[in-house]
Structure formats: structure tokens, C-alpha cells
Amino acid sequence: MNNSSCEIVQDLLPLYIDGVCSESSSRLVSDHLAECKECKAIETKIRDTKIEAIVGKETESVLDRHAKKERGAAWKAGAIIASILCFPVVIVAIVMANGQAHFDVLAILISSMMLAASLTVVPLMSKEKRFTRVVLSGTASILLIEFFACLSEGASFARAAVPTVFGLSVAFLPFIIGNITLPDQLKDKKALTVVVWDVLWLLLTIAVETIPQHGNDSFREGMVISVLLMVVVFSIFGIVRLSNSRVDGVTKIGIIVILLGLWSAFFKDIAALFLHGVHTLLIGTADLSNWSPENLNANIALTLLSSALFIGAVFIIIGIVKKIANDK
């Protein structure tokens, strides 16, 4: 078969398959396909590709219609549930209008219905990021309930709200942060963002729980202990985030074990220094031959420190040996 004829026919194949070429060209292609297996195979492949594209479009269209139908049904269900949740509010409003109930009862009821709606209506009516919206709307509802409850009882809203936000952040923020779009500067720092956020709310929790009740001394004590704990947390975080090209996982484990051993052995001494200005060394009073109650804490601290240094050193040596072997 002439190669030039094949090239001409292959150029005409898309027009031939679509039925838009002239009668003479169509007859030329048809006669050629009857004799040329190679061009016939190309024609079959083009037709199959077109069929797949058509089927794909039809499938996409069907799925899109189905998704719209499902969303419509979800919106209707959400609207029905929202209407049902409004009934108690309307009833209490009528009772309140007759002077048989106080405003705080209605306010707390509305907030409670909002919380119920956050768990039912919001996920039904949300097209995407359902979990994030449920948590955010649920948190707002809980804070609103606490606000009206504190208002009616004359209690501090901050003492109720700050620990609530801190607890919910610890539980849900790691999941939420992965579902939202952060600024470019924070896109690769999601874990750090979670840690910093939780630390800030922890410090706020200590402030609202100590200052009003026990004054600045208790606040200072809580802050010192928290900061010392956070130093360890951020140190471990920094070690974990070290570039793998410089420090492998085994070496990181060794460094973390040593860090925890040092923290457990000297934490009490450092806390005493910052809180009371007292210079102490707990492990300095250790006597492993005497495990009486007065030596117990010092002996435990020394044992933990020694074990951590030994185990950490073993891991670091293993990591170094592995790195040398890999480099070879």
C-alpha cells in the first residue's frame, strides 16, 4: 500500500468518521480502509476513543444530575429539621410573652437548638468541608449557651469560654487545619500552627483560672510550669522537623529520649529556681543503695536520666552507623 495514500486517508479519517467530508473523499477513504489493515486499525481506535469520550460525558452528566438531586434532598431534609427545631423556641417565646418565662430561658433554648442544628442541619446543607463547618458552628453554639448561662448566673464568661475553646482546639484543630486553605507563609507549617494556637489558649486558660481566684502568684506559678513544659514540646517538635538529609529518624529518637531524660531529672530544680529563686539539684541527693521515701524521688530521677542517656546514645550511634553505611 502506498504510504502517501495512507497519509492522505489518515488525515481524512476524523472528517470521514464525523461524516462531514465530501462524497468522493468518503468513497476514497472507504475503499482504502477495505484494503489497508493499518488504516482500518487507526479508524477503529479513533471510533473507540470517541465512544469513550461520549460515554464519559454521559456518565459525568448522570453523576452531576444525581449529585444535584442528592443536594436538593439534603437541603429539604435540613429545612424540615430546622423547622422542627424552631417549634420549641416558638412555644417558649409565646410563654415568655405571657410573662411566664424569663428571657434567659429563651436565650439558652435558642442556643441549644443552634447546637442541635450544627450537628444535623449544617452537615446536610454543606456541600464541602462539612466537618470543619460542623465544628465551627457547634463551637459557636456552645459558647453562646455558656454566655447566656453565665449572664443569668452572674458568672465569668471568660472562665467558661477560654477552657472550652482550648479543649475543642486540642481535639479538633489538627483535623480542621488540614481542610482549610492557609496563607502561603503557613501552608507548610500546619503542625506548628496547631501547636502555637494550642499553647496560646493554654496560657489564656491558666490566666482566667488563676488570676481572678488566686491572684498573680498562682498565675505566675502556672505560667512558669507551662512555659517549661512548652520548651520541651517545642524542642521535640523542632527535632522532629529537622531535615531528613541531615538527621535520620533513628538519631532523632535518640536525641528526643535524651531530652526527655534531662527534662525529667532537672524539671523540678529549674521550676524551683524560677518560682522561688532556690538553687537545688535533686539527683545530687540520690543514693541508689538507699530507697527510703526521702531518697525515692532523687533515685528515680537519677535512674531515668541514666537510662535515657544510655538508650539515647545507643540510638544515636545506630543512626550514625546507618548514615555512614548509606553514604558509602
Side-chain angles (χ1 to χ4, degrees):
M1 189 66 63
N2 193 329
N3 287 336
S4 61
S5 299
C6 289
E7 292 176 357
I8 294 172
V9 168
Q10 290 171 14
D11 290 338
L12 292 173
L13 273 178
L15 300 175
Y16 172 77
I17 292 172
D18 290 337
V20 294
C21 60
S22 65
E23 184 177 347
S24 58
S25 297
S26 178
R27 189 165 46 252
L28 171 66
V29 174
S30 179
D31 293 342
H32 181 86
L33 293 176
E35 300 177 0
C36 180
K37 294 182 179 180
E38 182 180 350
C39 291
K40 182 63 178 178
I42 295 175
E43 182 215 12
T44 302
K45 185 176 180 180
I46 294 175
R47 289 187 183 275
D48 290 343
T49 302
K50 285 183 173 291
I51 292 173
E52 289 177 2
I54 293 172
V55 171
K57 289 181 179 179
E58 288 295 328
T59 302
E60 185 178 347
S61 177
V62 171
L63 292 175
D64 186 56
R65 288 197 299 270
H66 179 72
K68 289 181 179 179
K69 185 178 180 180
E70 291 292 326
R71 287 198 297 271
W75 269 84
K76 291 178 182 178
I80 293 172
I81 295 174
S83 301
I84 295 173
L85 293 175
C86 287
F87 286 153
V89 177
V90 174
I91 293 172
V92 173
I94 294 173
V95 173
M96 189 185 71
N98 293 328
Q100 299 178 7
H102 297 289
F103 171 75
D104 55 352
V105 176
L106 177 63
I108 293 175
L109 178 62
I110 292 175
S111 304
S112 301
M113 293 302 100
M114 288 176 58
L115 178 59
S118 299
L119 301 175
T120 55
V121 178
V122 172
L124 284 173
M125 293 187 168
S126 298
K127 183 179 179 181
E128 55 187 18
K129 298 181 179 178
R130 289 186 176 89
F131 180 77
T132 300
R133 293 180 179 181
V134 168
V135 172
L136 293 179
S137 58
T139 301
S141 302
I142 292 172
L143 293 178
L144 197 59
I145 293 172
E146 292 180 340
F147 173 76
F148 287 118
C150 293
L151 188 65
S152 64
E153 297 176 4
S156 171
F157 173 62
R159 289 194 66 193
V162 173
T164 297
V165 174
F166 171 60
L168 293 174
S169 297
V170 171
F172 297 115
L173 186 60
F175 303 100
I176 293 176
I177 206 76
N179 295 325
I180 61 177
T181 302
L182 296 176
D184 293 338
Q185 299 85 344
L186 299 176
K187 282 184 178 179
D188 59 342
K189 298 179 178 64
K190 291 185 176 181
L192 180 61
T193 302
V194 172
V195 172
V196 171
W197 175 271
D198 287 341
V199 168
L200 291 176
W201 281 98
L202 170 62
L203 299 180
L204 283 174
T205 300
I206 294 172
V208 300
E209 290 295 331
T210 56
I211 293 178
Q213 298 294 320
H214 308 289
N216 292 332
D217 290 340
S218 296
F219 171 69
R220 179 172 172 270
E221 182 177 347
M223 290 293 288
V224 168
I225 293 174
S226 298
V227 169
L228 292 177
L229 290 172
M230 290 306 105
V231 168
V232 178
V233 171
F234 276 102
S235 298
I236 294 174
F237 180 82
I239 294 170
V240 172
R241 296 284 290 181
L242 284 175
S243 173
N244 290 332
S245 61
R246 290 181 292 166
V247 183
D248 66 355
V250 177
T251 305
K252 289 179 184 178
I253 293 174
I255 297 173
I256 292 173
V257 169
I258 293 175
L259 175 65
L260 292 176
L262 293 170
W263 175 81
S264 63
F266 299 110
F267 176 79
K268 189 174 181 179
D269 300 327
I270 297 173
L273 177 62
F274 280 100
L275 290 173
H276 311 295
V278 178
H279 297 269
T280 63
L281 184 61
L282 181 61
I283 62 174
T285 61
D287 183 1
L288 298 181
S289 63
N290 180 11
W291 286 81
S292 59
E294 57 270 16
N295 289 334
L296 182 61
N297 290 336
N299 288 348
I300 292 175
L302 180 60
T303 302
L304 289 175
L305 177 60
S306 302
S307 301
L309 291 175
F310 174 75
I311 296 172
V314 170
F315 274 102
I316 291 174
I317 292 171
I318 293 174
I320 293 174
V321 171
K322 285 181 61 178
K323 184 171 179 58
I324 293 174
N326 291 334
D327 290 341
K328 290 182 178 180

